[in-house]
Amino acid sequence: MSEASLPALTKALEDTDSDVRIEAVLALGIVGKAGVPSLIVALKDKEADVRFQAVATIGKLGAEAKPAIKALTGLLTTDKSNGVRTQAAQI
């Protein structure tokens, strides 16, 4: 997947179906560093499953996802999902 897919993937993060949003998050992980800003947006999704997958995807990107550190740190104390907080703590 290339950076050319970013607009479509970012738009997919607005879909009403959480499964579509999760798939978009996974695809953004394939895009890599260029997808990090959209992954940061996904960290604010209303569904914990989407946020969890966004955290996991950011973790897989490693150093490429450095811009997401502040957002991940914020999840440690603010996210209402224990699973998301735990996943963020493991990054």
Side-chain angles (χ1 to χ4, degrees):
M1 220 162 264
S2 71
E3 290 183 28
S5 61
L6 279 173
L9 293 173
T10 301
K11 181 71 174 162
L13 292 175
E14 300 171 6
D15 198 277
T16 57
D17 186 338
S18 64
D19 290 334
V20 171
R21 298 193 308 272
I22 289 171
E23 291 299 322
V25 164
L26 294 171
L28 287 164
I30 295 169
V31 171
K33 184 176 182 176
V36 171
S38 295
L39 288 169
I40 292 170
V41 170
L43 294 175
K44 299 174 185 171
D45 195 275
K46 64 183 177 181
E47 297 291 333
D49 290 344
V50 177
R51 296 192 310 274
F52 182 92
Q53 191 59 58
V55 172
T57 300
I58 288 168
K60 290 177 185 175
L61 289 174
E64 287 185 286
K66 188 175 180 180
I69 291 174
K70 185 176 180 179
L72 287 173
T73 303
L75 290 178
L76 294 173
T77 57
T78 62
D79 200 278
K80 56 189 168 214
S81 166
N82 186 49
V84 172
R85 290 191 311 272
T86 301
Q87 183 71 12
Q90 295 175 358
I91 302 298

